[in-house]
Amino acid sequence: MVGVIVDCAIYRDGRRAEDPSGLAEALRAARADRDAFVWIGLHEPTEEEFGQVSREFGLHPLAVEDALSAHQRPKLEVYEDSLFLVLKPVDYDEAADTVGTGELMLFLGDSFVVSVRHGTTNPLGSVRERLERNPQVLQHGPTAVMYAVSDSVVDHYMEVAAELHIDLEELEAEVFTPGGTAYGAVAGRIYGFKRQVLEFRRATGPLTEPMERLAGTGVPFVHDASRPFFRDVSDHLTRANEQVEALDRLLSDILSAYLAQVGVRQNDDMRKISAWAAMAAVPTMIAGVYGMNFAHMPELDHPLGYPGVVVLMVAASAGLYRLFKRRGWL
């Protein structure tokens, strides 16, 4: 059990008091003081390991099942003895041009916060350190932890969106550079980029409703003084969603423009092929006529017949070449 517990501490009046020796002791000590609460952080616990935590804190079995499965959409569930919030932290790997998501579950109840993290994306360490440097925020109890974690996750959405915009500008420049990357490679990059934006949207979009509920009234275990802070998180999330939508629209526009470019190049290639085919068709036709096995054909016995036909072929081809060149086919 020790291996999955990242950190466990009791906070009194916004300050870290002590690290308890056991879960039951931690909860008893926190509930004995109205200004205290316990915050336990877990990383990818097994069902057996998380079972002890759920029993001690009285967590709802449906929420426990969701926390263990780690394939949830962002959501907020209200149970009799606790709140259950699911967040999806996002990280962007610039080297691989991929968006990676983790999962972060928060159980909030009377005098306790339990955080369960899945994946490598970890905003909790920095959040705990920042909160411990600001005891006036931690004085609001478990709600302060939920706000700080949500704020950190949403703020990082904005950073990832900015990085994606930079990469999108590079992709746009590559698409519209004459003689750039081959068709298949560029199209693959655009569709790959759209998949990353879709993964990003799956993290940001569903979180809107939970943040609006936390910013409103009627949600238990949420300190009234924290609602304006959740409204601020909701505003930042709205901007992040707008940036994601803008990324998706820009990608669609770039893809449409690129496909139009490909169509224009293909039409240009077809014109060139048709022009060369027409120039080859005229001498082929003349040669075909004079290659027929008939005795009575004009100019067969004339001493200048052969050079005359060759000159006719060259003149016809040259005339077609000048015509196609003037019209921009060649």
Side-chain angles (χ1 to χ4, degrees):
M1 184 64 184
V2 176
V4 300
I5 296 181
V6 179
D7 201 349
C8 178
I10 296 175
Y11 296 88
R12 288 190 175 89
D13 295 322
R15 299 184 183 278
R16 186 165 183 148
E18 70 259 13
D19 296 344
S21 58
L23 299 178
E25 177 192 344
L27 188 57
R28 282 195 303 269
R31 286 178 173 171
D33 187 345
R34 56 175 296 181
D35 294 325
F37 71 95
V38 59
W39 180 5
I40 299 176
L42 306 174
H43 180 230
E44 297 183 353
T46 64
E47 183 176 356
E48 180 180 357
E49 291 166 338
F50 197 51
Q52 181 182 353
V53 177
S54 63
R55 287 190 298 270
E56 293 291 346
F57 290 88
L59 305 179
H60 197 280
L62 291 178
V64 171
E65 181 181 351
D66 288 345
L68 292 173
S69 62
H71 293 288
Q72 305 297 318
R73 298 172 74 249
K75 62 179 181 178
L76 175 66
E77 299 284 353
V78 179
Y79 297 102
E80 183 178 354
D81 298 323
S82 62
L83 293 180
F84 178 58
L85 177 65
V86 179
L87 302 165
K88 293 183 76 69
V90 171
D91 200 9
Y92 185 60
D93 186 349
E94 295 184 12
D97 291 338
T98 56
V99 172
T101 58
E103 290 200 25
L104 180 58
M105 291 84 166
L106 293 177
F107 294 87
L108 185 146
D110 181 20
S111 303
F112 72 86
V113 177
V114 177
S115 59
V116 182
R117 179 171 60 88
H118 293 267
T120 58
T121 304
N122 180 22
L124 292 179
S126 59
V127 170
R128 190 184 287 262
E129 293 174 2
R130 187 166 65 250
L131 283 174
E132 290 178 353
R133 292 195 300 268
N134 294 275
Q136 67 275 14
V137 177
L138 271 177
Q139 286 178 349
H140 291 96
T143 308
V145 177
M146 180 174 284
Y147 154 71
V149 172
S150 302
D151 184 58
S152 176
V153 169
V154 172
D155 283 348
H156 196 58
Y157 287 164
M158 306 286 287
E159 296 173 7
V160 172
E163 292 176 355
L164 286 173
H165 269 291
I166 294 174
D167 285 356
L168 182 59
E169 291 174 358
E170 295 175 357
L171 178 61
E172 185 178 19
E174 181 180 347
V175 167
F176 293 105
T177 298
T181 311
Y183 164 73
V186 172
R189 283 198 62 191
I190 294 174
Y191 280 111
F193 210 117
K194 286 186 74 71
R195 284 196 299 271
Q196 305 309 316
V197 172
L198 177 60
E199 185 70 17
F200 195 8
R201 177 183 286 175
R202 287 173 180 164
T204 62
L207 188 58
T208 301
E209 189 265 344
M211 288 298 106
E212 290 177 349
R213 289 178 62 188
L214 290 170
T217 59
V219 179
F221 306 106
V222 176
H223 199 286
D224 290 337
S226 67
R227 302 191 191 280
F229 296 96
F230 281 111
R231 282 198 295 271
D232 182 65
V233 175
S234 182
D235 290 340
H236 290 178
L237 180 61
T238 299
R239 290 202 293 271
N241 279 317
E242 289 173 351
Q243 291 190 27
V244 174
E245 292 293 333
L247 283 169
D248 190 58
R249 288 195 301 269
L250 284 172
L251 277 170
S252 297
D253 293 342
I254 290 173
L255 180 60
S256 298
Y258 183 68
L259 292 177
Q261 278 187 335
V262 171
V264 170
R265 286 199 295 266
Q266 288 177 341
N267 289 337
D268 187 55
D269 292 340
M270 287 301 299
R271 285 198 303 267
K272 291 179 180 179
I273 293 172
S274 300
W276 287 109
M279 286 188 291
V282 172
T284 301
M285 180 188 67
I286 297 173
V289 170
Y290 280 92
M292 292 187 294
N293 295 321
F294 292 104
H296 302 288
M297 293 183 68
E299 312 301 337
L300 283 180
D301 297 327
H302 197 283
L304 298 179
Y306 173 73
V309 170
V310 172
V311 170
L312 177 62
M313 292 180 181
V314 173
S317 298
L320 288 173
Y321 179 82
R322 291 187 60 188
L323 175 64
F324 292 140
K325 192 73 172 178
R326 189 163 54 247
R327 293 187 177 181
W329 285 35
L330 293 173

